[in-house]
Amino acid sequence: MTNDRPKRGRPRSHTSREAILGAVRHRLLADGYLRLTIEAVAAEAGVSKATIYRWWKTKGELVLEAAEGDISIGLVPETNDPRADVEAAIHQLVDTFSRPLASIVIFAAIATGESDPVMAQIFRDRYVYPWRVSAAAAMVRALPEDRSEASEVQFLLDVIVGTVFQRTLVLREPNTVGLKGRLMSVIFPI
Amino acid sequence: MTNDRPKRGRPRSHTSREAILGAVRHRLLADGYLRLTIEAVAAEAGVSKATIYRWWKTKGELVLEAAEGDISIGLVPETNDPRADVEAAIHQLVDTFSRPLASIVIFAAIATGESDPVMAQIFRDRYVYPWRVSAAAAMVRALPEDRSEASEVQFLLDVIVGTVFQRTLVLREPNTVGLKGRLMSVIFPI
Amino acid sequence: MTNDRPKRGRPRSHTSREAILGAVRHRLLADGYLRLTIEAVAAEAGVSKATIYRWWKTKGELVLEAAEGDISIGLVPETNDPRADVEAAIHQLVDTFSRPLASIVIFAAIATGESDPVMAQIFRDRYVYPWRVSAAAAMVRALPEDRSEASEVQFLLDVIVGTVFQRTLVLREPNTVGLKGRLMSVIFPI
Amino acid sequence: MTNDRPKRGRPRSHTSREAILGAVRHRLLADGYLRLTIEAVAAEAGVSKATIYRWWKTKGELVLEAAEGDISIGLVPETNDPRADVEAAIHQLVDTFSRPLASIVIFAAIATGESDPVMAQIFRDRYVYPWRVSAAAAMVRALPEDRSEASEVQFLLDVIVGTVFQRTLVLREPNTVGLKGRLMSVIFPI
DNA sequence: ACTTAAGCGAGACGGTACGTCTCGTCTTAAC
DNA sequence: GTTAAGACGAGACGTACCGTCTCGCTTAAGT
């Protein structure tokens, strides 16, 4: 993230950078990830294709950077109420997956994992893993000792992520009312 | 599916049909869905591109037909033991999602929903909905009355499908040991 | 020149071939050889770039074929009057070099010899050598025995070609009146 | 050639000027004129592209200046032996056209006349015309009165230049033995 | 057997986008 | 005030597939 390039030469233009990322966002919302072309982004941003390729190696990197603010999910809080922390984790997930830009890009990062492993890798390293680690910690705190082994915690995270993914990105169900509560009851019965 | 073309003229060649579908399967396993090109299929099958386009309108239809046997999930059984039926439903899901060809094609059907809605639609109508209807019936039978309202049943199906999808297709975790049991405990606590 | 391709497949379109060659001629006359781009030819001909690249490997080949009729210089006649034959040879040269399209393409074939040796080679093999052979024969017939050794004949051909080239292509002197007569006096004094 | 820039500020670096011209010479000999790029010259000279563009408007000017010493042909001498002067003129031509760097640059100056008229113009004004004027004077002195009209003299100069050009630059014939003598016999028969 | 209608291979075609290249200009910080 | 470094817009390069379109041949069902 930090830019350790030498300070010589013409500095990178913030104008064109913003124009590019703005055009990417616009085209993503208009056409989706698969139909987004570098050529169209360059044209809309009033920028040369070479400028895009100079700074982003692949469409995936470009799109991840353009949607960074929307995708960013943060860490699960660590309060005195562990169940509330888990609930917050679910909320973060539902909230992020519900943003138009984020839903497109997250879906693309997963869907193109096969053909663009770099994008999938960056996505995992930058957003999925950190969240999962803090969510797992919250889960351990919230569960009784006899349910808090690693494999059970990972399973419950998969239940949460899988269910939210299924609802919001696969079925494209915008109504998430009750989803959080139902997930909580399924994780913490009684 | 039924072929209402006039019976005159040279009949459709079964040889080339099989060669095409075989080539599709081979290319899917070798390159994946996104990297599969009609051109490569035609070349490998020793067939003209026009022949492919004559019989399949889109890459999606072609791929779904090529993987039909592997994708087919069937209906959830209806025995005297409703919990066993639900368990069977989960098993069908895990089993199908674990087949190499099926995992590629199911993933593609979901992933390209944005840009190829026809493929997603066919996939849903032909495989997802029938299974979900019978799985929902099994679930209703297995649940106590106070949990068997439609929205709760649909939610539990999303938990099952989402979790299995997450494990097998997103995380590409081939080890599904314990998955079935854990899902059952989450759906039927105590 | 003869087309020994197999008769299978869709036949080559004469329409697009003519459109391409016509566009090449137009662009050559408008912009010259160096400024001619394949992209502009494709656009003007209403043709895809791939169609041009399918049939012509290089800009040089394309241009030589487009100007074929204008460049073609033919062979030097072989009559009973050898001096008249030499005069005819000079006339062919002046005449060909004076045609707008031919002058552009011949100049290009020579000028780009350094960077496009293929074009120069085709040009030499197809037009220069045959003409030179027949011109040398006429020269041998026209000269007294003591001047008709090979090196002298080649020198005289270089005088003819060089002078005409200098006048028409380097100095771009369209007025060629007297040129033929003066060359004849220089070659055949007395 | 003279540098009329203001005398204030950092003076033009002779070091980089020489580095640039040296790199141009090297690249000309290695790759030829058409394949020479400003980018490669800058890289080889350890100089910024902007520095080159600041001092030379076009590739043509740059190349002409880099090859100045080699191209320079001087004036035809004016002795008591006019035929010897003409012979000296031919010798200057053959000699200059035979130098590797000069042959590349002279050829380029003529060949790119179509697309870079400035280079052709500078070349003509600086080298061709002065030599032609003095060569024409020598020719007038050497010829009998009845052959020394302007158009005949210009024609004979075209014969000389054209023939030498043809031999050395078009046919790339390094063997110029006999060429001078033959040209003399053709210009001065008997 | 003869006709006729489709199936089929080969492959040409107009498009669109790719990712690369070089051009000549512009913008900094360093000297 | 010039320089090296190097970002930039422009635009052509040659390639890859797309989905469509001829062709001339092959294959059977209907005559």
Side-chain angles (χ1 to χ4, degrees):
Chain A
M1 207 98 297
T2 47
N3 204 344
D4 285 339
R5 289 173 168 280
K7 302 282 175 172
R8 302 238 260 149
R10 177 177 177 174
R12 178 172 183 183
S13 156
H14 282 270
T15 311
S16 68
R17 184 177 181 276
E18 287 314 316
I20 290 165
L21 295 178
V24 169
R25 282 186 281 267
H26 184 224
R27 303 250 47 90
L28 278 176
L29 291 169
D31 292 344
Y33 176 79
L34 287 176
R35 272 193 278 269
L36 176 145
T37 69
I38 301 289
E39 207 126 67
V41 169
E44 185 171 326
V47 139
S48 142
K49 276 196 293 174
T51 300
I52 299 180
Y53 284 111
R54 188 178 300 121
W55 298 106
W56 295 277
K57 275 170 202 158
T58 66
K59 190 166 124 174
E61 287 181 35
L62 174 60
V63 158
L64 280 179
E65 189 163 338
E68 197 164 42
D70 277 41
I71 298 174
S72 192
I73 190 169
L75 298 184
V76 177
E78 198 171 338
T79 69
N80 286 330
D81 184 348
R83 286 211 183 184
D85 293 350
V86 171
E87 201 166 356
I90 297 174
H91 179 77
Q92 287 175 325
L93 216 55
V94 173
D95 188 49
T96 303
F97 282 26
S98 299
R99 291 177 205 139
L101 203 52
S103 73
I104 291 170
V105 174
I106 292 170
F107 198 81
I110 292 165
T112 63
E114 175 199 1
S115 66
D116 184 354
V118 174
M119 182 185 191
Q121 193 58 50
I122 296 175
F123 175 67
R124 263 196 289 273
D125 293 349
R126 201 175 294 165
Y127 304 104
V128 177
Y129 285 160
W131 179 86
R132 269 189 91 109
V133 167
S134 64
M139 197 68 93
V140 167
R141 280 180 275 120
L143 285 174
E145 244 178 64
D146 64 319
R147 286 186 67 202
S148 64
E149 2 142 24
S151 67
E152 174 74 6
V153 168
Q154 291 303 315
F155 165 74
L156 290 174
L157 288 180
D158 289 344
V159 169
I160 293 172
V161 174
T163 306
V164 175
F165 184 90
Q166 177 71 10
R167 269 285 171 95
T168 54
L169 300 190
V170 177
L171 302 180
R172 310 214 166 264
E173 174 60 71
N175 177 13
T176 56
V177 173
L179 178 57
K180 219 191 313 179
R182 282 202 161 103
L183 270 173
M184 287 300 284
S185 336
V186 136
I187 293 163
F188 306 110
I190 356 173
Chain B
M1 206 94 304
T2 45
N3 205 342
D4 285 338
R5 288 173 171 279
K7 303 282 175 173
R8 297 239 281 166
R10 177 176 177 174
R12 177 173 183 183
S13 155
H14 282 271
T15 311
S16 69
R17 183 176 183 276
E18 286 314 316
I20 291 166
L21 296 178
V24 169
R25 282 185 281 266
H26 184 226
R27 305 256 37 98
L28 279 175
L29 292 169
D31 292 343
Y33 176 79
L34 286 176
R35 273 195 279 268
L36 176 144
T37 68
I38 300 289
E39 207 120 44
V41 170
E44 185 171 324
V47 140
S48 142
K49 278 198 291 174
T51 301
I52 299 181
Y53 284 111
R54 195 193 325 274
W55 300 107
W56 296 277
K57 276 171 201 157
T58 66
K59 188 166 128 175
E61 288 180 36
L62 174 60
V63 158
L64 281 179
E65 189 163 338
E68 197 164 42
D70 277 41
I71 299 173
S72 192
I73 190 170
L75 298 184
V76 177
E78 198 172 337
T79 69
N80 286 331
D81 186 347
R83 287 210 182 185
D85 292 350
V86 171
E87 200 166 357
I90 298 173
H91 179 77
Q92 287 175 325
L93 217 54
V94 173
D95 188 49
T96 302
F97 281 26
S98 300
R99 289 177 207 140
L101 203 54
S103 73
I104 292 171
V105 174
I106 293 170
F107 196 81
I110 292 166
T112 63
E114 177 198 0
S115 67
D116 183 354
V118 174
M119 183 185 190
Q121 194 57 51
I122 294 175
F123 176 66
R124 264 196 287 273
D125 293 349
R126 201 173 295 163
Y127 305 104
V128 178
Y129 285 160
W131 179 86
R132 267 189 95 109
V133 167
S134 63
M139 196 68 92
V140 168
R141 279 181 275 122
L143 286 174
E145 244 179 63
D146 64 318
R147 289 185 67 204
S148 65
E149 1 142 24
S151 66
E152 174 74 6
V153 167
Q154 290 305 315
F155 166 73
L156 291 174
L157 287 180
D158 289 343
V159 169
I160 294 171
V161 173
T163 306
V164 175
F165 184 89
Q166 176 72 8
R167 270 286 171 95
T168 55
L169 301 189
V170 176
L171 301 179
R172 309 215 168 263
E173 174 60 73
N175 177 14
T176 55
V177 173
L179 178 58
K180 219 191 312 179
R182 281 200 160 105
L183 270 173
M184 287 300 283
S185 336
V186 137
I187 293 163
F188 306 109
I190 348 171
Chain C
M1 211 94 302
T2 46
N3 204 344
D4 284 339
R5 288 175 169 279
K7 302 281 175 168
R8 303 236 252 143
R10 178 175 175 175
R12 178 173 183 181
S13 155
H14 281 270
T15 311
S16 68
R17 185 177 181 276
E18 286 314 316
I20 290 165
L21 296 177
V24 169
R25 281 186 281 266
H26 184 225
R27 302 252 45 91
L28 279 176
L29 292 169
D31 293 343
Y33 175 80
L34 286 176
R35 272 193 277 269
L36 176 144
T37 68
I38 300 289
E39 207 126 73
V41 170
E44 185 170 326
V47 140
S48 141
K49 276 197 291 175
T51 300
I52 299 180
Y53 285 112
R54 188 176 300 122
W55 297 106
W56 296 278
K57 276 170 201 157
T58 66
K59 190 166 125 173
E61 287 180 35
L62 174 60
V63 157
L64 279 179
E65 189 162 338
E68 196 163 43
D70 277 42
I71 299 172
S72 192
I73 189 170
L75 298 183
V76 177
E78 197 171 340
T79 70
N80 286 331
D81 185 347
R83 286 209 182 185
D85 293 348
V86 171
E87 201 166 356
I90 297 174
H91 179 77
Q92 288 174 324
L93 217 54
V94 173
D95 188 48
T96 303
F97 282 27
S98 300
R99 291 176 204 140
L101 202 54
S103 73
I104 291 170
V105 174
I106 292 170
F107 198 80
I110 292 166
T112 64
E114 174 198 359
S115 65
D116 184 354
V118 174
M119 182 185 191
Q121 194 57 50
I122 295 175
F123 176 67
R124 263 195 288 273
D125 293 349
R126 201 175 294 164
Y127 305 104
V128 177
Y129 284 161
W131 179 86
R132 268 190 94 108
V133 167
S134 65
M139 196 68 93
V140 168
R141 279 179 275 120
L143 286 173
E145 243 178 64
D146 63 320
R147 288 186 65 204
S148 63
E149 1 143 27
S151 65
E152 174 74 7
V153 167
Q154 290 304 315
F155 166 75
L156 290 174
L157 288 181
D158 290 343
V159 169
I160 293 172
V161 173
T163 306
V164 175
F165 184 91
Q166 177 72 10
R167 269 287 171 92
T168 56
L169 300 190
V170 176
L171 302 180
R172 309 213 165 266
E173 174 60 73
N175 177 14
T176 55
V177 173
L179 178 57
K180 216 192 315 180
R182 281 200 161 105
L183 269 174
M184 287 299 284
S185 335
V186 136
I187 292 161
F188 306 109
I190 353 171
Chain D
M1 208 88 312
T2 45
N3 202 342
D4 285 339
R5 284 175 172 275
K7 303 282 177 169
R8 297 224 289 155
R10 179 173 174 175
R12 175 173 181 183
S13 158
H14 282 272
T15 312
S16 67
R17 183 176 184 278
E18 285 316 314
I20 290 165
L21 296 178
V24 168
R25 281 186 282 267
H26 185 226
R27 304 255 39 97
L28 278 176
L29 292 169
D31 293 344
Y33 175 79
L34 287 176
R35 272 195 279 268
L36 175 145
T37 68
I38 301 289
E39 206 120 42
V41 170
E44 185 170 324
V47 140
S48 136
K49 278 196 293 173
T51 302
I52 300 180
Y53 283 113
R54 195 191 324 278
W55 299 106
W56 294 276
K57 276 171 202 157
T58 66
K59 188 166 127 176
E61 288 180 35
L62 173 61
V63 157
L64 280 179
E65 189 163 337
E68 196 165 42
D70 277 41
I71 299 173
S72 192
I73 190 169
L75 298 184
V76 176
E78 197 170 340
T79 69
N80 286 331
D81 184 348
R83 286 210 182 185
D85 293 348
V86 171
E87 200 165 356
I90 297 174
H91 179 77
Q92 287 175 322
L93 217 53
V94 172
D95 188 48
T96 303
F97 282 26
S98 299
R99 291 178 205 140
L101 203 53
S103 72
I104 291 170
V105 174
I106 292 170
F107 195 80
I110 291 166
T112 63
E114 174 199 2
S115 65
D116 183 355
V118 174
M119 181 185 191
Q121 194 57 49
I122 294 175
F123 176 67
R124 262 195 290 272
D125 293 350
R126 201 175 294 163
Y127 305 103
V128 178
Y129 285 159
W131 178 86
R132 268 190 94 109
V133 168
S134 65
M139 196 69 92
V140 168
R141 280 179 275 120
L143 286 174
E145 245 179 62
D146 63 320
R147 288 186 65 203
S148 64
E149 3 142 24
S151 66
E152 174 73 6
V153 168
Q154 291 304 316
F155 166 75
L156 290 174
L157 288 180
D158 290 343
V159 169
I160 293 171
V161 173
T163 306
V164 175
F165 183 90
Q166 176 72 9
R167 269 287 171 94
T168 55
L169 301 189
V170 177
L171 302 180
R172 310 217 167 261
E173 173 60 73
N175 177 15
T176 55
V177 173
L179 178 57
K180 218 191 313 180
R182 282 202 159 104
L183 270 174
M184 288 299 284
S185 336
V186 137
I187 292 162
F188 307 109
I190 349 170

